[in-house]
């Protein structure tokens, strides 16, 4: 869990902001502002720094389109920012856009001309991507939420802060929104991203909270209002979600088994309903890095089922269930910014006299509508060893295991006033040792689901024969690794260590480069 360094209580007037197009980005015409740069000759990198210093605007661009060592002469006169940028880039194909306090430089990539295509032909897709980092220290921001406004389309960054999203022409003039807990939202014109791999910086939201405000709030009152508001916040009608699922087993930091799939999820109404959620697997594949001599092949137990269970507003988290209130202690510890709105941070842990392996962590609850937007929690480390083999398939008799940590994360995205599941992840670490062995093997197991699209019209339950075996070991239900797999489906960009492992196994990685497949 990343440390929370920001505190903020803010009232944000953002009505209609997400509907901005590129033509309305230049609310303040900073590109026409006259500036006087120092010296008779100046480097491009210095010129950008001076513009930022004099205007307060920051730059976002693909480093490949700027030569920082290029020099030009400002001629000792005031020049419009637009003209300075023309000299910096020396490329008439580079376009400038202003959004918030950021100036975005990009080279537009036109969609292929599809005028002569048959009426029933498939739409053309392009991949957009980038890296999300902290503006102050350039550290990557894992699990940042990426979304295209009002389209129900999005993804999350991987642990390295990287993301990939596939768009069609209808998305080109929309706005990409990037959000992260404790940071100010970033908005970018979608048309600035195809063909450009940008490092997108996020600014922390430092707004102090008087301690008296926090002390005056009753965490149990907030929790009870949250539980009573589930139906109004998360919907009374079913939804069809499209998602990317992946799970993996690492042994001594080397991947043993890696499986992934595109799935469709029938999400039942959040009102009291006897209907269960359903999962249908559209495409799936796996990679195994097991040798014949391996006597211990660990596999995750029922990962698909676990992702459904982690929708804690559909299947109420134990720490939000009124029947469990007597077993937990709750404290309001902070108020932070998330999705450009304020959220209570309520920390919880089991009471001292409870010795069962219960959860502890933080819940982020919107201060206005009492929706849970994020939950980060883990099994109490004091009792985690009692969880045994609950999360993996049965070990051989000659091996014993010792759990070290069990961690979970669930994130929700607000689209037009309704909250949808956006991302869930579970991580398990343990050691396994044979009875006659001196040394143990360390394993790390994870499962993850990122929702990439949703719709609420014409939603129907799946036929029984279409359903995925959610309670089975997922990696045993599929075989093979198709190198031309994703086509027009969205997926999470793999982390650097996984890419390196796949390269060693000679798996073709062209699809991971963020380029459209032929």
């Amino acid at each position: 869990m990343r440390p929370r360094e920001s505190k903020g209580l803010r009232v944000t007037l953002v009505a209609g902001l997400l509907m901005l197009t590129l033509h309305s980005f230049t609310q303040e015409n900073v590109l026409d502002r006259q500036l006087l740069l120092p010296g008779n000759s100046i480097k491009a990198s210095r010129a950008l720094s001076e513009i930022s210093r004099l205007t307060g605007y920051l730059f976002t661009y693909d480093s490949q389109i700027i030569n920082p060592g290029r020099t030009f002469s400002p001629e000792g006169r005031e020049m419009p920012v637009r003209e300075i940028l023309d000299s910096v880039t020396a490329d008439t194909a580079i376009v400038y856009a202003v959004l918030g306090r950021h100036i975005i430089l990009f080279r537009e990539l036109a969609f292929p001309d599809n005028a002569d295509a048959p009426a029933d032909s498939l739409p053309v897709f392009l991949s957009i991507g980038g890296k999300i980092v902290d503006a102050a220290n350039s550290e990557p921001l894992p699990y940042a939420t990426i979304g295209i406004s009002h389209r129900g389309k999005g993804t999350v960054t991987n642990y390295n802060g990287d993301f990939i999203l596939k768009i069609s022409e209808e998305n080109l003039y929309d706005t990409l929104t990037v959000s992260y807990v404790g940071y100010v939202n970033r908005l970018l014109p979608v048309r600035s991203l195809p063909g450009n791999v940008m490092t997108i910086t996020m600014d922390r939201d430092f707004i102090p909270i008087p301690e008296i405000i926090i002390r005056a709030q009753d965490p149990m009152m907030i929790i009870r209002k949250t539980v009573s508001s589930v139906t109004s916040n998360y919907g009374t009608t079913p939804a069809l979600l499209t998602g990317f699922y992946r799970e993996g087993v690492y042994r001594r930091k080397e991947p043993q088994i890696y499986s992934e799939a595109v799935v469709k999820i029938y999400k039942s109404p959040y009102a009291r309903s006897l209907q269960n959620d359903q999962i249908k697997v559209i495409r799936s594949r796996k990679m195994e890095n097991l040798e014949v001599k391996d006597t211990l092949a660990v596999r995750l137990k029922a990962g698909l089922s676990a992702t459904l269970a982690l929708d804690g507003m559909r299947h109420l988290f134990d720490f939000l269930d009124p029947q469990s209130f007597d077993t937990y202690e709750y404290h309001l510890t902070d108020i932070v910014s998330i999705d450009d709105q304020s959220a209570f941070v309520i920390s919880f842990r089991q009471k001292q006299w409870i010795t069962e392996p219960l959860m502890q962590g933080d819940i982020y609850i919107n201060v206005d509508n009492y929706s849970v937007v994020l939950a980060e929690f883990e099994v109490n480390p004091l009792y985690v060893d009692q969880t045994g083999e609950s999360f993996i398939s049965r070990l051989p008799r000659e091996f014993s295991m010792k759990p070290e940590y069990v961690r979970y994360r669930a994130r929700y995205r607000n689209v037009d006033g309704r909250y949808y599941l956006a991302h869930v992840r579970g991580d398990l670490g343990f050691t396994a040792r044979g009875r006659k062995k001196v040394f143990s093997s360390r394993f790390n197991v994870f499962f993850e689901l990122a929702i990439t699209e949703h719709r609420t019209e014409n939603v129907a339950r799946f036929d029984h024969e279409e359903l995925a075996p959610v309670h089975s070991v997922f990696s045993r239900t599929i075989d093979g690794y198709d190198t031309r797999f994703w086509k027009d489906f969205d997926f999470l960009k793999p982390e650097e260590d996984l890419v390196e492992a796949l390269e060693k196994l000679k798996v073709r990685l062209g699809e991971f480069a963020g380029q459209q497949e032929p």
Side-chain angles (χ1 to χ4, degrees):
M1 188 182 303
R2 297 180 65 85
R4 298 186 307 276
E5 299 182 20
S6 65
K7 296 185 178 181
L9 178 61
R10 54 188 304 188
V11 178
T12 331
L13 302 177
V14 294
L17 181 60
L18 297 183
M19 298 181 66
L20 288 173
T21 65
L22 184 60
H23 302 292
S24 63
F25 290 152
T26 52
Q27 295 177 359
E28 180 181 352
N29 204 358
V30 66
L31 297 178
D32 294 326
R33 187 181 300 181
Q34 300 279 333
L35 299 181
L36 177 62
L37 298 183
N40 296 321
S41 179
I42 188 170
K43 289 185 177 182
S45 57
R46 174 77 186 282
L48 295 178
S49 296
E50 283 296 307
I51 294 173
S52 292
R53 185 181 68 83
L54 294 171
T55 66
Y57 282 73
L58 303 175
F59 287 96
T60 300
Y61 56 88
D62 185 340
S63 60
Q64 298 298 314
I65 69 174
I66 299 292
N67 177 6
R70 170 182 167 74
T71 60
F72 66 95
S73 174
E75 302 176 358
R77 64 179 177 87
E78 288 189 342
M79 301 169 62
V81 170
R82 190 186 309 276
E83 186 176 331
I84 298 174
L85 293 178
D86 289 343
S87 298
V88 166
T89 63
D91 187 345
T92 58
I94 295 178
V95 181
Y96 319 133
V98 180
L99 191 54
R101 304 299 294 180
H102 293 263
I103 301 175
I104 303 162
L105 314 181
F106 60 97
R107 183 181 287 113
E108 283 193 284
L109 181 64
F111 271 77
D113 186 2
N114 207 31
D116 299 327
D120 59 350
S121 62
L122 295 175
V124 176
F125 284 85
L126 290 177
S127 291
I128 60 176
K131 190 179 190 71
I132 311 300
V133 302
D134 183 296
N137 56 27
S138 297
E139 286 293 316
L141 298 180
Y143 317 132
T145 302
I146 315 292
I148 294 183
S149 308
H150 303 286
R151 297 285 187 178
K153 185 175 180 64
T155 187
V156 297
T157 58
N158 66 13
Y159 195 76
N160 303 136
D162 301 315
F163 76 93
I164 288 178
L165 193 63
K166 295 190 178 181
I167 63 167
S168 61
E169 190 170 6
E170 67 178 1
N171 304 136
L172 196 58
Y173 289 93
D174 213 317
T175 304
L176 189 81
T177 305
V178 185
S179 64
Y180 198 80
V181 177
Y183 288 73
V184 180
N185 275 15
R186 277 296 308 271
L187 304 179
L188 293 96
V190 172
R191 65 183 293 192
S192 70
L193 293 165
N196 299 279
V197 182
M198 297 184 181
T199 297
I200 301 167
T201 57
M202 301 282 286
D203 296 311
R204 290 183 181 272
D205 198 0
F206 292 101
I207 303 178
I209 302 290
E211 186 176 346
I212 190 172
I213 292 179
I214 294 180
R215 288 204 309 265
Q217 298 289 338
D218 179 3
M220 291 308 303
M221 181 272 293
I222 296 172
I223 294 288
R224 293 183 187 278
K225 284 189 176 181
T226 298
V227 175
S228 65
S229 302
V230 169
T231 301
S232 59
N233 284 324
Y234 299 89
T236 58
T237 58
L240 181 65
L241 312 181
T242 302
F244 171 84
Y245 173 80
R246 63 177 181 171
E247 64 179 46
V249 177
Y250 283 73
R251 182 178 186 178
R252 301 191 188 97
K253 298 185 178 181
E254 289 292 328
Q256 267 199 321
I257 301 172
Y258 177 77
S259 307
E260 53 192 12
V262 173
V263 298
K264 296 282 187 181
I265 301 175
Y266 174 87
K267 179 58 65 176
S268 300
Y270 284 76
R272 295 186 181 275
S273 172
L274 298 178
Q275 290 185 338
N276 294 324
D277 294 344
Q278 297 177 311
I279 293 185
K280 176 170 65 175
V281 175
I282 305 300
R283 302 176 67 87
S284 61
R285 67 179 179 183
K286 71 176 177 182
M287 176 274 294
E288 291 193 354
N289 186 19
L290 300 174
E291 300 179 8
V292 176
K293 65 180 181 180
D294 285 328
T295 58
L296 180 58
V298 172
R299 296 178 185 270
L300 178 67
K301 181 189 300 182
L304 287 176
S305 175
T307 61
L308 294 180
L310 273 178
D311 181 358
M313 307 315 295
R314 175 69 178 86
H315 310 279
L316 206 59
F317 290 126
D318 174 67
F319 45 84
L320 292 181
D321 188 340
Q323 295 184 6
S324 300
F325 285 167
D326 290 340
T327 61
Y328 285 100
E329 296 176 349
Y330 301 88
H331 300 280
L332 177 61
T333 59
D334 207 349
I335 301 176
V336 301
S337 175
I338 180 170
D339 294 336
D340 269 358
Q341 295 185 320
S342 299
F344 298 115
V345 182
I346 295 182
S347 298
F348 62 92
R349 65 172 55 244
Q350 65 193 80
K351 294 183 176 178
Q352 292 186 355
W353 56 269
I354 302 291
T355 58
E356 301 173 23
L358 301 184
M359 300 297 177
Q360 64 181 39
D362 298 304
I363 323 165
Y364 297 75
I365 299 174
N366 185 287
V367 301
D368 295 318
N369 57 31
Y370 295 94
S371 61
V372 171
V373 289
L374 174 65
E376 296 180 315
F377 53 100
E378 64 178 347
V379 175
N380 189 331
L382 295 176
Y383 308 108
V384 69
D385 56 351
Q386 297 182 27
T387 58
E389 299 176 17
S390 305
F391 307 94
I392 62 172
S393 59
R394 187 167 53 188
L395 292 174
R397 290 184 178 181
E398 64 271 20
F399 284 88
S400 61
M401 72 167 290
K402 181 180 180 181
E404 295 182 325
Y405 60 84
V406 180
R407 299 168 184 154
Y408 299 108
R409 185 181 196 273
R411 176 75 157 92
Y412 295 85
R413 179 189 296 123
N414 185 345
V415 180
D416 296 334
R418 177 173 172 176
Y419 287 83
Y420 296 88
L421 185 68
H423 177 239
V424 297
R425 182 178 172 105
D427 289 272
L428 164 68
F430 67 94
T431 58
R433 187 174 68 177
R435 292 178 180 175
K436 297 182 180 180
K437 301 290 185 180
V438 176
F439 300 104
S440 300
S441 294
R442 176 165 275 104
F443 289 86
N444 301 94
V445 181
F446 79 92
F447 63 89
E448 185 168 27
L449 172 69
I451 301 302
T452 55
E453 287 187 271
H454 74 261
R455 65 179 175 87
T456 55
E457 300 81 16
N458 302 318
V459 176
R461 291 179 67 81
F462 305 138
D463 293 334
H464 180 75
E465 58 271 16
E466 297 180 292
L467 298 181
V470 296
H471 298 291
S472 301
V473 175
F474 179 67
S475 62
R476 293 191 185 278
T477 67
I478 56 178
D479 53 29
Y481 194 94
D482 180 2
T483 58
R484 294 178 55 83
F485 185 75
W486 296 120
K487 301 187 183 300
D488 294 332
F489 291 109
D490 283 306
F491 59 93
L492 293 188
K493 189 172 183 179
E495 281 79 8
E496 294 169 1
D497 58 348
L498 178 58
V499 171
E500 293 174 359
L502 294 175
E503 286 176 336
K504 291 178 183 178
L505 294 174
K506 299 182 180 180
V507 174
R508 187 174 68 86
L509 296 172
E511 64 194 73
F512 295 148
Q515 303 297 322
Q516 182 184 10
E517 291 185 1

